[in-house]
Amino acid sequence: MMKRFVTSDGLSLAYTDEGEGLPVLCLPGLTRNGADFDELAAALKGRYRLIRLTLRGRGASDRDPDPTNYNVGIEARDVVEFLDHLGLKRVMIVGTSRGGLIAMVLAATAKDRLAGVLLNDVGPELAPEGLANILSYLGIEPKAKSYEEAVEALKKRMGARFPGLTDAKWTSLARRWFDEGPEGLVLNYDARIRDNIEAIAGQAAPDMWPLFDALDGVPLAVVRGMNSDLLTAETVEKMRERRRDLIVGEVPDRGHVPFLDEPEALAALASLVARVGGS
């Protein structure tokens, strides 16, 4: 059942809270929402307390009247306020793409709230190819008038990196990522999220390694789709060199991002949970 949380600047954010045990906070990607963890929730079958927060401007959460607030600093603040709202001192975070960047910001600003972190197909270096791919569709209303047309468009854009998905799976993804409007499909996030990304796209990439290093002492795992165009194998190796205890899960036949119900992803999560319990 969807619940609501109100931020300090008055936005109502959607979240779900289900299961029992270790609290695991799931933070979705740049344009995504809590539904992107449906596969993980189904695989875990209530073994943990799975909390899914949909960030401002996405899904059923309020749009921000000031689009400059769509940044990881504000979103990290939302997370801390959300944990306070739930009365949770520490959680394990599963951060997909943008959600993983937020987790790294939290390591630098509110490390005591982190019991462990799983970075899903994201790290301190983002490959230019992946960023260019994101900009090719970010904030652009779909041309598809139906979910059937959206499926064909998704296959064309993503099929090579996600081979073997059934038509039923592609259809479920299309329904997850787009809403029906009066004249066809529409984005289910605020298109102005693109503004901040465009503003920094032409600038030199910021050095995010200090944020990664801030995770020192926090049990840490990374899951990478082996076909990812955003997180390279070379970056994962650099991460491993700086964190010799890094848990790594490589998922075949997945691009950006794995669904987290794959055996390799679930194994990485289980190893991380074991370390969190041991810490």
Side-chain angles (χ1 to χ4, degrees), residues 127-193:
E129 178 186 352
L131 291 173
N133 183 39
I134 290 171
L135 279 172
S136 73
Y137 64 81
L138 179 62
I140 300 172
E141 292 290 348
K143 296 179 181 179
K145 300 298 182 182
S146 67
Y147 284 116
E148 290 77 11
E149 291 181 13
V151 164
E152 293 308 310
L154 288 174
K155 285 181 179 179
K156 184 176 180 180
R157 178 161 61 86
M158 301 173 61
R161 292 188 292 275
F162 289 84
L165 297 190
T166 65
D167 283 348
K169 184 65 176 181
W170 284 114
T171 299
S172 74
L173 295 176
R175 290 184 175 275
R176 182 183 303 177
W177 297 336
F178 303 107
D179 290 338
E180 289 183 291
E183 299 180 1
L185 300 187
V186 296
L187 300 174
N188 64 2
Y189 62 90
D190 191 338
R192 299 175 304 161
I193 290 173

Side-chain angles (χ1 to χ4, degrees), residues 1 28 36 56 88 105 153 183 215:
M1 180 181 296
D36 253 26
R56 59 176 62 208
L88 292 172
V105 169
E183 299 180 1
L215 287 162

Side-chain angles (χ1 to χ4, degrees), residues 9 28 39 62 93 96-97 99 117 127 150 159 181 209 214 218 230 240-241 244 258 260 262 273:
D9 56 354
E39 291 88 355
D62 283 353
I93 288 182
T96 290
S97 195
V117 170
W209 284 104
V218 177
L230 191 72
R240 202 198 303 256
E241 288 172 4
R244 293 295 183 181
L260 296 177
E262 303 90 354
V273 168

Side-chain angles (χ1 to χ4, degrees), residues 14-248:
Y15 74 96
T16 60
D17 188 348
E18 57 191 340
E20 298 179 355
L22 174 70
V24 178
L25 175 60
C26 297
L27 301 177
L30 179 64
T31 64
R32 307 289 184 82
N33 55 71
D36 253 26
F37 298 97
D38 283 354
E39 291 88 355
L40 177 60
L44 294 179
K45 299 177 181 178
R47 285 203 299 274
Y48 312 123
R49 181 180 174 185
L50 202 69
I51 306 162
R52 298 186 255 175
L53 178 65
T54 294
L55 302 170
R56 59 176 62 208
R58 288 84 160 177
S61 292
D62 283 353
R63 278 38 179 169
D64 198 311
D66 181 358
T68 63
N69 286 335
Y70 295 133
N71 64 74
V72 291
I74 294 292
E75 290 160 4
R77 185 191 71 188
D78 289 344
V79 171
V80 173
E81 293 177 359
F82 179 57
L83 295 181
D84 291 342
H85 169 76
L86 295 178
L88 292 172
K89 292 183 178 180
R90 298 171 76 233
V91 295
M92 192 177 92
I93 288 182
V94 175
T96 290
S97 195
R98 172 79 154 215
L101 299 181
I102 294 170
M104 288 194 287
V105 169
L106 289 171
T109 60
K111 190 172 184 177
D112 59 317
R113 311 305 290 267
L114 303 178
V117 170
L118 185 147
L119 302 172
N120 184 21
D121 212 64
V122 70
E125 290 183 9
L126 308 178
E129 178 186 352
L131 291 173
N133 183 39
I134 290 171
L135 279 172
S136 73
Y137 64 81
L138 179 62
I140 300 172
E141 292 290 348
K143 296 179 181 179
K145 300 298 182 182
S146 67
Y147 284 116
E148 290 77 11
E149 291 181 13
V151 164
E152 293 308 310
L154 288 174
K155 285 181 179 179
K156 184 176 180 180
R157 178 161 61 86
M158 301 173 61
R161 292 188 292 275
F162 289 84
L165 297 190
T166 65
D167 283 348
K169 184 65 176 181
W170 284 114
T171 299
S172 74
L173 295 176
R175 290 184 175 275
R176 182 183 303 177
W177 297 336
F178 303 107
D179 290 338
E180 289 183 291
E183 299 180 1
L185 300 187
V186 296
L187 300 174
N188 64 2
Y189 62 90
D190 191 338
R192 299 175 304 161
I193 290 173
R194 180 184 179 93
D195 296 350
N196 280 356
I197 304 300
E198 273 193 324
I200 63 175
Q203 302 175 10
D207 182 6
M208 293 191 292
W209 284 104
L211 296 179
F212 178 79
D213 291 339
L215 287 162
D216 181 52
V218 177
L220 182 62
V222 61
V223 170
R224 175 181 177 269
M226 293 179 72
N227 297 336
S228 177
D229 60 355
L230 191 72
L231 178 63
T232 66
E234 290 76 14
T235 296
V236 171
E237 282 307 306
K238 291 180 184 177
M239 294 163 69
R240 202 198 303 256
E241 288 172 4
R242 295 169 94 109
R243 279 293 301 265
R244 293 295 183 181
D245 61 342
L246 179 67
I247 299 164
V248 178

